[in-house]
Amino acid sequence: ENWAAEIASRMVSVIRSDSERDVLWRRLFPSDLRPYLPVRWTEDEVTLSGSRALAGGCDAAYFSRAEVAFDVAADDQKTLTVPATTEEVEYAMDLVQTRTCRITDGSGRICRVLAPVFDMINHAPFPNAEFVCVEEKEKNGDAVSSALVVRCLRPISSGEEITISYGGRGTTSPPWRCLFNYGFFVSEEGDVGEVRVLDRNGSVRRFELSADEVPFELVVAVHEILRAGNEDSDGDVGEHEEVSLTPEVARFIANLCVEAVEGLKKLGESENMMEDMSVPASLCKDLRESQIRALKSANESLRIFAREEESNK
């Protein structure tokens, strides 16, 4: 249950170890992951991403990481002569966050592992390999040994990079999740943008959408806004009332996409005033561009849909 704290505690030991194996492994670690992980950025840096979803993830992770750090420190007091420093614990948690693999063992249980060499294999949206846990009985007796292996998913050419998937939707997509979890993202996962809707109570609701996916909740929210503008309606969508993506709703959402693009461009203009492009600023720029692509494509698709629907009537 507390796998992050358990692995982080072990990584603190690896960081301090003088054994030849651990020293060799440490040489493969990045020296500093802070610039790449949004949870370690300042609030202003996160804001430059233009993603409220990313900002919300960082807010939630702040408290969960604090709990892990507390558990690691408590464990280290029992096992280490000199307690781990705050910097060592934070670095260990960064390594766990970005280099831990999720696998299924022989009994079907989902496990988290951080293993030398395996943690060097890169992610790809369409990988050519996967991690598997193989369990075999020992030759002498009934004892079972486990081994972590890399198994190809298709023929791999000579010189071709071996890649795996770090996870599907919710882990490496949408792009902000991959950036949040691993410190990078790839657009091949599918660009996603955010739009804001102000409901009748004055509350701001945010929705993620793409060129080919509009959440039903967004359609319902827009229906309620349009009904509220009708003097003969109370604005609420009835329990048995049919809600669909009509041309009017599609154009309303398309306009929301245009507004969101303008907001992201203004963020970019403020960033351009900075003297140098830091790693967080560069990643924020890439994420904004990803969102802009998604919003522009969604805007275009929604307007085409509205025109086609009206022409078919």
Side-chain angles (χ1 to χ4, degrees), residues 52 195-199 201-207:
R52 287 302 306 168
V195 294
R196 304 195 314 166
V197 174
L198 188 66
D199 64 21
N201 298 321
S203 300
V204 176
R205 300 178 63 188
R206 294 178 172 84
F207 301 90

Side-chain angles (χ1 to χ4, degrees), residues 2 15 23 26 30 40 57 78 80 88 106 172-173 196 207 225 232 246 251-252 288 294:
N2 199 11
I15 291 170
V23 169
R26 283 205 308 270
R40 303 275 253 140
K78 303 175 184 177
L80 298 178
E88 287 174 330
T172 57
S173 67
R196 304 195 314 166
F207 301 90
I225 292 173
D232 298 327
T246 64
R251 286 198 177 90
F252 191 101
R288 286 197 311 272

Side-chain angles (χ1 to χ4, degrees), residues 214-227:
V214 176
F216 179 71
E217 294 80 4
L218 174 57
V219 176
V220 173
V222 172
H223 263 281
E224 292 179 346
I225 292 173
L226 295 175
R227 283 174 60 90

